[in-house]
Amino acid sequence: MLAIVAGLFSLPVLAFGADAAPPAPTEYRDVPYVGARNVIWVIAQLHLLLAGFVLGVPMFAWVCEIVGWKGGEKRYDKLAKEFTKLLTSAYSTTALFGGILLFLLIGFYPKLMNYLSDIFFPSFIVYCILFLAETATLYLYWYGWDTMQDGGKKTFHIFLGFMLNFFAFFIMIIPNSWATFQSSPVVLAEGSDIARAWAATWNPTWWPVNIHRIIANVVLGGYICGAYAGIRYLSAKTAEERSHYDWMGYVGNFIGVFGLLSLPFAGYWLMREIYQYNQQMGITLMGGFLSWLFILQAMLIGVLFLGSNYYFWIGMTYRIPGSDIKYKKQMLAMLIALLVCLGIWMTPHSLVASMEEARKMGGSHHPLLGVFGVMSAKMTVANLMILVTFMSFIMYWRAGKQETVGWAKIAKIFMGFILAVSAIVVIVLGVWGYFVPAIVRINYFSTSQVLVVLAVLLTITPLTSILLKTAKVTTEMNWGVMPPRAGYSLVLNAIMIILLMTLMGYARSSSRVHWHVYGVLRDTSQYAYSPALGYASGIMALCTFLFCMIVAFIFWVATMGDKAKAPAVSSKAGLPQGLPAMAGASNALDEPNARKL
């Protein structure tokens, strides 16, 4: 009886003991209906795009300031200041999205964040210090612009611009180590915290991603600044504004093209390193279900090449009188070459076909077009498109100028010879690649094609610069006379590069399939799968739309001060011919007999 009573009295104690047991740690949290992964996906993509803009713009803003300082041309200084104004407006928004992303990651994925914090904690401290230093430097750089214009103060301001880029570079590569570690981890079980963090940081894909993102950030920043200039050009009310924003749009497009020419090389290096680290991951990307993404990538890059070249061509047509007739045949030939290359690049290796269609074709590969679906053909046309775009740029550079040096004719023959031989070599290596093992094609032929094109760029660019240094200007450049479609093409280029970056962000993340950290930490949540391409396309489109809205808001805020300071345009008499011109155009261009491209 006593034992029963004692047992009854002990029940609350046992119950209390059961409650006192520590609960299992939370691994995941979710958002009803929306899904935690979707929220993280959108916020992370917006933060990456904003960060790319914030880190890319200081590079060419600083270069523009140096050009203006050394050359004594105030317009470059003004341009650099306008670039930096966009930067300051976007900086706080980028930090805001970074903070939101961090809180959401800690809340939704506590186990993963604990794991990453345990490995990378020393780099977290360095990152915070760098962020503080960059913020202080940016404030000094921007608010000290007008004060530091003369003598030693200007030199110090240039130094501040250098330090801003210096801090920005390390702020970019440290988070890159966290992201690349998830795809190609290097894990040490022993050693100090710093030794473990350093080993994880220096993982196989860290530097390829660093180089790829530096170039991509420049391309993104250039095209977005070009779009900003295009919109301001379309809404300009005075000839002076049209002239300034026409020139700014040209510089933005030039910066975007400059980066775009070298971006495929960095992308090729990254993919090569992924294959070397883990062949299965490379096959998932390039030969598995993600391979269709590269068809979309080809389309976006192709449109970007076409848009950039088109902007060059209408620039020659309208800004440089006489060039439209002189270079008409060359422009047509380049357009045909770009379209043919784009068609080959977009050809898939395996077609989505019904059983009947496949039976008629003799398999999933088209008997004629299937030959264009392999990497040998795609590498060849990608390099040819780079060469064509480079020719377009050189043509624009030389338009309206007459070389005066005695060896100009020989130099031009030499440049034509180099271009022709390089194109032939690229094609021959591409065709030869069908008849050699894949390892030979990847390690020797593809890299040789890249080196040939790089050699052309590095040979002809300085040679043209020397030639034009003493050239006589035969036709003055007319700024502010471009038709409205020039501004639209700049906006199109910006949208293409945003879509491209969202696409490749999805590809890199999905290549890990069901792993948070590839081969080390498995994803055990309900989202442990790669979303279907159609669903992913919807999220990518949403990210692009939201980013464009955020950038439009930032630009609107950045121009509020200008509108307040600008003198009011009192009457229509201030415009050419006393009538309001179509946005971005002059009335002369709207006449029926105006030249059209």
Side-chain angles (χ1 to χ4, degrees):
M1 185 63 184
L2 288 174
I4 293 173
V5 172
L8 290 173
F9 275 106
S10 66
L11 283 177
V13 177
L14 292 174
F16 180 80
D19 289 342
T26 302
E27 293 189 15
Y28 301 103
R29 296 185 180 90
D30 200 8
V31 179
Y33 305 112
V34 180
R37 183 174 66 178
N38 290 338
V39 175
I40 290 292
W41 188 348
V42 172
I43 297 296
Q45 189 61 69
L46 292 176
H47 175 62
L48 281 172
L49 290 167
L50 285 164
F53 178 74
V54 166
L55 298 176
V57 170
M59 296 185 208
F60 50 80
W62 182 59
V63 171
C64 284
E65 187 185 10
I66 292 176
V67 171
W69 176 51
K70 287 292 184 184
E73 292 189 62
K74 285 293 182 185
R75 62 174 184 158
Y76 282 100
D77 194 80
K78 181 183 176 185
L79 184 69
K81 188 178 177 183
E82 189 146 10
F83 283 148
T84 310
K85 179 176 68 178
L86 301 178
L87 173 67
T88 53
S89 302
Y91 192 76
S92 55
T93 311
T94 308
L96 174 66
F97 273 87
I100 294 172
L101 177 62
L102 176 62
F103 287 133
L104 292 179
L105 283 172
I106 293 172
F108 292 153
Y109 301 96
K111 180 181 176 183
L112 169 65
M113 294 306 290
N114 281 335
Y115 179 80
L116 294 178
S117 301
D118 184 56
I119 292 176
F120 285 106
F121 181 72
S123 67
F124 290 178
I125 302 297
V126 177
Y127 182 78
C128 291
I129 294 172
L130 286 169
F131 194 77
L132 289 171
E134 192 200 23
T135 304
T137 308
L138 176 61
Y139 285 151
L140 284 172
Y141 187 66
W142 169 245
Y143 288 106
W145 200 293
D146 295 328
T147 307
M148 303 179 193
Q149 279 294 308
D150 302 313
K153 289 182 180 177
K154 187 63 177 175
T155 308
F156 181 67
H157 194 260
I158 298 287
F159 174 72
L160 285 176
F162 168 77
M163 292 306 297
L164 181 63
N165 282 286
F166 177 80
F167 293 135
F169 172 74
F170 285 100
I171 280 182
M172 182 196 69
I173 67 172
I174 288 177
N176 281 352
S177 68
W178 309 335
T180 54
F181 172 79
Q182 289 186 258
S183 296
S184 54
V186 176
V187 182
L188 293 182
E190 298 178 352
S192 66
D193 288 348
I194 294 177
R196 294 171 62 222
W198 181 245
T201 297
W202 200 283
N203 62 76
T205 58
W206 184 44
W207 273 109
V209 167
N210 288 339
I211 301 301
H212 192 264
R213 280 198 171 156
I214 287 174
I215 301 172
N217 291 344
V218 171
V219 176
L220 177 72
Y223 279 125
I224 288 182
C225 287
Y228 166 79
I231 293 170
R232 294 297 300 267
Y233 180 81
L234 291 170
S235 59
K237 293 182 173 58
T238 66
E240 184 183 359
E241 280 186 8
R242 276 196 291 275
S243 177
H244 173 70
Y245 288 112
D246 185 16
W247 180 62
M248 186 177 181
Y250 162 75
V251 174
N253 186 66
F254 169 77
I255 292 167
V257 171
F258 180 77
L260 187 63
L261 291 177
S262 54
L263 192 59
F265 304 144
Y268 178 78
W269 181 33
L270 173 59
M271 286 307 305
R272 192 170 181 272
E273 292 300 315
I274 289 175
Y275 261 105
Q276 288 197 335
Y277 174 75
N278 188 295
Q279 192 176 16
Q280 182 55 52
M281 183 181 283
I283 292 172
T284 301
L285 271 168
M286 302 294 291
F289 83 102
L290 292 175
S291 61
W292 275 91
L293 290 180
F294 290 87
I295 302 300
L296 294 177
Q297 182 206 37
M299 184 194 72
L300 294 174
I301 294 179
V303 174
L304 203 50
F305 272 118
L306 283 170
S308 301
N309 279 279
Y310 179 70
Y311 186 78
F312 277 134
W313 299 337
I314 56 178
M316 280 190 287
T317 303
Y318 286 93
R319 293 191 190 120
I320 311 170
S323 296
D324 53 336
I325 300 172
K326 185 177 179 182
Y327 295 110
K328 190 174 181 179
K329 290 181 180 177
Q330 289 90 329
M331 286 190 277
L332 181 62
M334 287 190 285
L335 175 61
I336 294 171
L338 285 173
L339 289 174
V340 171
C341 289
L342 176 58
I344 294 174
W345 199 353
M346 289 174 56
T347 304
H349 183 50
S350 301
L351 296 179
V352 178
S354 64
M355 288 296 293
E356 184 180 357
E357 291 169 335
R359 199 177 298 114
K360 288 180 180 177
M361 286 192 299
S364 59
H365 306 290
H366 192 277
L368 180 61
L369 299 179
V371 72
F372 297 135
V374 297
M375 280 306 296
S376 191
K378 298 184 188 306
M379 279 296 294
T380 301
V381 296
N383 283 290
L384 289 177
M385 290 179 83
I386 292 172
L387 282 176
V388 170
T389 305
F390 180 67
M391 286 171 60
S392 191
F393 165 68
I394 293 294
M395 201 166 69
Y396 184 95
W397 197 5
R398 289 170 48 180
K401 300 182 182 69
Q402 178 65 50
E403 297 86 357
T404 56
V405 293
W407 47 272
K409 189 175 179 180
I410 297 174
K412 286 193 284 188
I413 293 172
F414 174 71
M415 286 191 285
F417 175 76
I418 290 287
L419 274 169
V421 169
S422 61
I424 292 170
V425 170
V426 166
I427 294 172
V428 168
L429 287 174
V431 175
W432 198 355
Y434 287 92
F435 305 101
V436 297
I439 191 69
V440 175
R441 175 173 52 77
I442 293 171
N443 281 341
Y444 300 104
F445 285 18
S446 296
T447 51
S448 297
Q449 287 176 317
V450 169
L451 292 175
V452 166
V453 175
L454 276 177
V456 171
L457 269 58
L458 295 176
T459 303
I460 293 183
T461 302
L463 191 55
T464 305
S465 177
I466 295 170
L467 268 179
L468 298 181
K469 202 170 183 179
T470 56
K472 182 175 67 176
V473 177
T474 57
T475 308
E476 288 291 341
M477 190 82 75
N478 295 323
W479 297 106
V481 295
M482 293 279 270
R485 59 180 181 273
Y488 300 142
S489 67
L490 291 173
V491 174
L492 173 69
N493 290 342
I495 293 174
M496 289 299 107
I497 190 66
I498 296 166
L499 274 172
L500 186 61
M501 292 184 77
T502 58
L503 181 79
M504 299 322 294
Y506 163 71
R508 279 195 294 275
S509 181
S510 294
S511 65
R512 298 196 311 269
V513 287
H514 54 280
W515 295 93
H516 286 312
V517 179
Y518 195 73
V520 177
L521 185 64
R522 186 185 292 274
D523 182 357
T524 57
S525 72
Q526 59 179 317
Y527 302 113
Y529 63 92
S530 298
L533 300 183
Y535 182 83
S537 299
I539 298 289
M540 287 184 273
L542 175 66
C543 291
T544 303
F545 174 75
L546 292 176
F547 180 69
C548 289
M549 292 299 102
I550 292 170
V551 169
F553 176 75
I554 291 170
F555 287 174
W556 176 70
V557 170
T559 55
M560 287 178 71
D562 296 343
K563 291 176 181 174
K565 292 176 185 175
V569 180
S570 57
S571 67
K572 295 175 181 178
L575 295 171
Q577 301 174 15
L579 294 172
M582 183 182 290
S586 70
N587 289 317
L589 297 176
D590 297 328
E591 291 176 355
N593 294 328
R595 291 165 300 153
K596 304 291 182 187
L597 181 64

